[in-house]
Amino acid sequence: MEYKDIINSICFNIHTAVIDFNKPRSVASMPTQASSEFITNKQQGDWAEDVLFRAINENSKNMVAVRYGKSDDLVAGDKGFEKFFKDYQEELDTIGKRPDILLFKKEDFDKSLGYDISYKSSNEIREYVTKAIAGIEVRSSAFLFNKYMAEVDRVILENTRKAIKLKNIILDNYIDLLNQKRPELIAILQQLNETSVRTISYRRPSWTASQRLQELTDYLSELKECLEIIQKRNSLSITPKVEDLKVVHQWIMTYNVPHYYVQVFFDKVYGISFQQILELVSNPDLEEDKFYIEKDTKNQNKTTIKIPSQNCTCLAEVVTEPNHHSVRKELNKGRLLFYVKFDGGNACLDANNFESLFGIKF
């Protein structure tokens, strides 16, 4: 079975309330002006793409990375942006969304076209693109993954210890009241340990009829707060937008090339295949466990699928941070923007994990 047929067979099993691949994509509104934050985020994304691009080309013996996604430096407010935006929207409707990077076997790499075909029209390079062995959508994240997870672990440990201490206080001093009011809580509390704190829950009481009942209520409320902190979803994720999955799907239908998402943090790199994303979303039993669907307030409340990075493949355990400096940009009406530009930095790719995810000899 061809790759695009495998993708379509999975899409058929995805509930249309999540993604309806038969409905046309929503028409995007052209932005009227850029912000410093937007340009900084774009620069960070360009840096992430460059880090992965260089890591592959400087270390792989069997493949070549080629820049492919639209990467014009024009932003809203620049002369020529309106035409660029309209042309981009038209391309989305014809071939879908270009991934940022294409991977080619070395023997299929066209030296005459070079390492950057992002400026070429889809008609010029259509046949060449079909020879690619993978397309990669590169995302960036302004986090140090290790420090983030270390802080999460610290908070969980601190609240686990507090929860167990509260449990002991309650069982040692208020078990008679629990027997009278909520005997089922005794068994729940007796089961509470370093492992079960991640799943145990109960309804918070509101007893106030006596001093001891008030004390018990306060302890149970404090314990409940600890459990909520421990059980709170707190992970860094790969976050494809639902609307993007449609245009990625269209690109796959056009070229029949396997597609992947790669997230570059400032100290690690994670990846997941488009096929894996669809397989997760097609299984409702995995929601709230292996993936989450929610409106992303940081991205205009667009519906986003969030897949914790721990459930993805770690492609690089070490990333060296880039240099950065401020840049002044003057728009056509004299408006000034100041943003951060990144350069340098390297990713040390794990060849075994890379081969495991992409199914390609590194």
Side-chain angles (χ1 to χ4, degrees):
M1 187 182 290
E2 288 192 323
Y3 173 72
K4 65 180 181 179
D5 295 326
I6 294 172
I7 293 300
N8 272 338
S9 67
I10 302 170
C11 291
F12 182 78
N13 294 318
I14 296 176
H15 195 288
T16 53
V18 179
I19 315 171
D20 189 345
F21 287 99
N22 293 316
K23 282 187 177 180
R25 73 182 183 91
S26 301
V27 178
S29 300
M30 185 174 68
T32 55
Q33 65 178 15
S35 66
S36 296
E37 182 182 12
F38 173 84
I39 302 178
T40 295
N41 289 339
K42 184 179 183 302
Q43 290 292 323
Q44 184 180 307
D46 291 345
W47 167 78
E49 179 184 330
D50 182 64
V51 163
L52 186 65
F53 173 82
R54 287 187 288 107
I56 294 169
N57 286 331
E58 291 171 7
N59 296 284
S60 177
K61 297 178 181 178
N62 299 294
M63 71 187 77
V64 176
V66 174
R67 300 184 192 277
Y68 174 57
K70 293 291 187 183
S71 58
D72 202 296
D73 285 334
L74 292 173
V75 297
D78 283 340
K79 184 178 180 180
F81 175 77
E82 184 174 349
K83 182 181 185 304
F84 167 78
F85 182 82
K86 288 180 177 178
D87 289 346
Y88 178 64
Q89 296 303 311
E90 183 179 331
E91 183 175 84
L92 288 178
D93 288 329
T94 53
I95 69 166
K97 188 177 190 296
R98 298 187 184 200
D100 298 306
I101 291 173
L102 291 179
L103 299 183
F104 291 92
K105 292 179 181 177
K106 283 203 169 178
E107 56 266 31
D108 291 329
F109 173 59
D110 189 333
K111 292 182 180 179
S112 66
L113 290 173
Y115 292 91
D116 189 344
I117 58 174
S118 62
Y119 59 94
K120 297 282 188 181
S121 71
S122 57
N123 289 333
E124 286 181 271
I125 53 176
R126 185 180 183 93
E127 187 177 342
Y128 183 47
V129 172
T130 61
K131 295 180 180 179
I133 50 179
I136 304 175
E137 181 74 13
V138 183
R139 298 295 179 87
S140 66
S141 176
F143 276 95
L144 291 168
F145 185 90
N146 289 336
K147 285 196 173 181
Y148 181 94
M149 295 310 299
E151 176 61 13
V152 169
D153 291 343
R154 184 195 67 78
V155 170
I156 289 175
L157 179 60
E158 179 182 288
N159 281 276
T160 298
R161 288 172 174 168
K162 186 176 179 181
I164 291 172
K165 181 179 179 180
L166 288 166
K167 175 199 78 168
N168 291 333
I169 291 172
I170 294 168
L171 291 179
D172 288 346
N173 299 284
Y174 301 93
I175 197 165
D176 58 319
L177 295 181
L178 288 177
N179 264 319
Q180 296 171 20
K181 293 286 190 177
R182 294 271 299 277
E184 78 279 3
L185 277 179
I186 296 174
I188 291 174
L189 293 175
Q190 287 173 336
Q191 294 170 17
L192 192 149
N193 56 37
E194 289 85 352
T195 302
S196 63
V197 287
R198 296 180 179 272
T199 55
I200 279 180
S201 184
Y202 57 85
R203 181 171 54 83
R204 195 191 310 252
S206 56
W207 302 314
T208 58
S210 71
Q211 177 66 31
R212 288 186 71 227
L213 279 172
Q214 179 66 67
E215 290 171 359
L216 176 56
T217 296
D218 292 342
Y219 281 128
L220 286 169
S221 295
E222 196 173 355
L223 175 55
K224 179 77 172 177
E225 289 172 5
C226 289
L227 296 178
E228 287 174 347
I229 291 171
I230 293 166
Q231 295 167 16
K232 179 182 177 182
R233 176 167 58 88
N234 206 340
S235 60
L236 295 172
S237 303
I238 291 181
T239 55
K241 296 190 290 292
V242 165
E243 64 181 35
D244 282 354
L245 296 184
K246 286 189 175 184
V247 286
V248 169
H249 174 266
Q250 186 170 349
W251 184 84
I252 291 170
M253 294 305 106
T254 305
Y255 295 104
N256 195 33
V257 173
H259 188 282
Y260 300 81
Y261 276 82
V262 170
Q263 185 99 1
V264 178
F265 298 96
F266 278 98
D267 59 345
K268 283 196 173 189
V269 178
Y270 283 86
I272 188 171
S273 72
F274 184 73
Q275 181 175 336
Q276 287 173 293
I277 293 171
L278 295 183
E279 287 171 343
L280 286 172
V281 175
S282 68
N283 188 341
D285 293 339
L286 299 179
E287 188 173 3
E288 300 297 322
D289 180 19
K290 298 295 184 181
F291 74 94
Y292 306 84
I293 300 176
E294 56 190 44
K295 301 279 188 181
D296 195 338
T297 54
K298 295 180 181 178
N299 202 350
Q300 302 173 320
N301 277 328
K302 293 180 178 177
T303 303
T304 303
I305 296 168
K306 299 192 173 184
I307 305 164
S309 297
Q310 301 94 307
N311 297 334
C312 304
T313 301
C314 184
L315 298 175
E317 287 282 358
V318 177
V319 174
T320 57
E321 289 188 44
N323 300 313
H324 53 87
H325 58 274
S326 175
V327 177
R328 172 188 182 276
K329 181 178 179 66
E330 183 177 334
L331 300 181
N332 59 350
K333 291 184 178 179
R335 179 172 173 244
L336 296 180
L337 293 177
F338 297 87
Y339 62 92
V340 179
K341 189 173 181 63
F342 305 87
D343 59 79
N346 294 286
C348 183
L349 293 178
D350 184 313
N352 291 331
N353 285 354
F354 194 97
E355 291 173 10
S356 172
L357 177 62
F358 289 91
I360 308 164
K361 194 71 177 173
F362 190 71

